[in-house]
C-alpha cells in the first residue's frame, strides 16, 4: 500500500470544540504564551501553568473525534498511514488511528519535571495535576507537553516518516512553529502534497502544494475518497 503521511495541527480538532492557537479568539489571545507555555513560566508560577493545562485536559476529555479524524482512521484500509501531529489531544487515537507520533507531547500524560524519559510518564485524567503530585522519580509532576524553547525529541523520527511519504496531507496548521513547520520540506521529490485549511495559507513557493480550502471535517473525507481512486 502507498505510504500516506499526515501532519496535523490544532485546526483538525477545532470542529471537536478544541480551541486553536492563532485563529481569532484563539488560546494565545486568551493566555500570554510566556505565562503558561514556557519552562520559565513553570518556574515562575507552576500553579498557573497546571491550571492552564488542567482546563485544556478537561476540554479534551469532553471532546469527541470529528469526521476528519474518523476519515483518517478509515483510510488505513487503503493506505499505510502514519500521523505526525502537533496536537496534544488524543482524538486521532480515539478515532482509531493506529500509528500516531506526537511532536509536542500528550496532555493525558504527566512526567518528571527534572529529567526526560518515558519511565516517568504517568496517566493523568480529569483529576488533573496539582502542586505536590509526584512523578515516579519524586519530582513535581508536570504536563507531558513540549513548551516553547524546549527540545522536540520526536523531530528526527518525524523527518524520517515524512521522507517516506508518497502522499503528504497537512491539515489545520498555520505552519508557524518550528521545527514542525519545516517537516514539509522533508517530503521526497514527487510526493503529492495537500494542504487542508479553512483559511488561505501562505503556501511555500519552493514546493508545489495543493491547497484544499474548507473545514477539515467536510473537505478531508472528500479528498481522501478522491485520493483512494487514483
Ligand atoms: N478546518 C481546517 N483548518 C482549520 C479549521 C478547520 N475547522 N479551523 C482552523 N483551521 C486552521 C487555521 O486556519 C490555521 O491555519 O488551522 C490552523 C491552526 O493554526 P494554529 O492555531 O497556529 O495551530 P497550530 O498550527 O497547530 O500551532 C502549532 O503552536 O502554540 C503551538 O504547540 C502549539 O502545537 C501548537 C503549535
Amino acid at each position: 500500500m502507498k505510504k500516506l503521511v499526515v501532519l496535523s495541527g490544532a485546526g483538525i480538532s477545532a470542529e471537536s470544540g478544541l480551541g486553536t492557537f492563532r485563529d481569532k479568539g484563539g488560546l494565545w489571545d486568551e493566555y500570554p504564551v510566556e505565562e503558561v507555555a514556557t519552562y520559565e513560566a513553570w518556574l515562575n508560577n507552576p500553579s498557573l501553568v497546571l491550571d492552564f493545562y488542567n482546563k485544556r485536559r478537561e476540554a479534551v476529555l469532553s471532546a469527541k473525534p470529528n469526521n476528519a479524524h474518523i476519515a483518517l482512521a478509515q483510510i488505513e484500509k487503503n493506505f499505510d498511514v502514519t500521523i505526525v501531529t502537533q496536537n496534544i489531544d488524543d482524538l486521532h487515537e480515539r478515532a482509531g488511528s493506529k500509528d500516531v507520533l506526537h511532536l509536542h507531547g500528550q496532555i493525558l500524560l504527566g512526567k518528571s519535571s527534572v529529567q526526560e524519559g518515558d519511565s516517568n510518564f504517568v496517566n493523568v485524567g480529569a483529576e488533573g495535576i496539582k502542586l505536590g503530585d509526584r512523578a515516579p522519580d519524586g519530582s513535581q509532576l508536570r504536563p507531558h507537553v513540549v513548551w516553547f524553547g524546549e527540545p522536540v525529541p520526536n523531530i528526527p523520527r518525524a523527518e524520517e516518516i515524512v521522507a517516506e511519504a508518497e502522499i503528504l496531507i497537512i491539515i489545520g496548521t498555520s505552519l508557524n512553529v518550528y521545527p514542525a513547520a519545516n517537516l514539509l520540506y522533508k517530503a521526497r521529490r514527487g510526493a503529492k502534497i495537500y494542504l487542508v485549511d479553512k483559511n488561505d495559507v501562505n503556501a511555500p513557493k519552493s514546493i508545489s502544494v495543493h491547497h484544499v480550502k474548507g473545514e477539515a471535517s467536510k473537505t478531508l473525507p472528500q479528498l481522501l475518497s478522491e485520493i483512494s481512486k487514483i
Side-chain angles (χ1 to χ4, degrees), residues 64-81:
K64 290 199 175 19
N66 64 56
N67 287 341
H69 299 103
I70 293 163
L72 287 174
Q74 289 172 341
I75 206 73
E76 291 186 358
K77 58 181 183 305
N78 304 32
F79 293 92
D80 172 11
V81 180

Side-chain angles (χ1 to χ4, degrees), residues 122-141:
V122 171
N123 283 312
V124 178
E127 73 287 354
I129 302 177
K130 299 178 296 307
L131 280 182
D133 289 351
R134 298 274 159 228
D137 67 0
S139 67
Q140 169 63 51
L141 195 65

Side-chain angles (χ1 to χ4, degrees), residues 16 32 54 87 100 121 150 165 178-179 184 200 208 217 228-229:
S16 296
N54 287 343
N87 299 341
V100 182
F121 281 174
E150 292 192 307
Y178 291 80
L184 91 150
D200 290 326
S208 75
S217 72
S228 302
K229 289 179 198 129

Side-chain angles (χ1 to χ4, degrees), residues 47-229:
S47 30
L48 176 66
V49 173
L50 290 175
D51 282 352
F52 174 66
Y53 286 100
N54 287 343
K55 274 199 205 110
R56 291 185 61 200
R57 188 177 301 104
E58 276 166 31
V60 167
L61 290 169
S62 50
K64 290 199 175 19
N66 64 56
N67 287 341
H69 299 103
I70 293 163
L72 287 174
Q74 289 172 341
I75 206 73
E76 291 186 358
K77 58 181 183 305
N78 304 32
F79 293 92
D80 172 11
V81 180
T82 298
I83 294 179
V84 176
T85 186
Q86 299 172 86
N87 299 341
I88 57 177
D89 65 55
D90 64 336
L91 296 181
H92 283 302
E93 290 90 342
R94 274 200 268 149
S97 291
K98 302 274 179 305
D99 188 13
V100 182
L101 180 72
H102 286 268
L103 294 176
H104 297 160
Q106 295 169 257
I107 199 159
L108 299 184
L109 289 175
K111 67 177 182 182
S112 163
S113 49
V114 295
Q115 59 181 334
E116 279 308 316
D118 309 16
S119 58
N120 273 293
F121 281 174
V122 171
N123 283 312
V124 178
E127 73 287 354
I129 302 177
K130 299 178 296 307
L131 280 182
D133 289 351
R134 298 274 159 228
D137 67 0
S139 67
Q140 169 63 51
L141 195 65
R142 62 163 273 190
H144 171 40
V145 173
V146 176
W147 287 325
F148 286 92
E150 292 192 307
V152 185
N154 285 340
I155 276 291
R157 179 73 195 112
E159 289 178 350
E160 288 166 6
I161 292 167
V162 169
E164 291 163 10
E166 291 162 84
I167 301 166
L168 173 64
I169 308 180
I170 300 165
I171 309 168
T173 174
S174 61
L175 293 171
N176 262 303
V177 170
Y178 291 80
N182 267 331
L183 283 171
L184 91 150
Y185 299 104
K186 303 294 175 192
R188 67 166 86 163
R189 194 174 294 285
K192 283 275 294 157
I193 306 177
Y194 299 90
L195 208 162
V196 175
D197 199 295
K198 74 171 183 181
N199 293 323
D200 290 326
V201 288
N202 46 354
K205 307 279 174 288
S206 56
I207 44 180
S208 75
V209 172
H210 180 67
H211 179 207
V212 178
K213 186 166 179 178
E215 297 205 309
S217 72
K218 298 168 189 70
T219 53
L220 186 63
Q222 175 64 32
L223 171 66
L224 291 173
S225 81
E226 278 160 23
I227 291 176
S228 302
K229 289 179 198 129

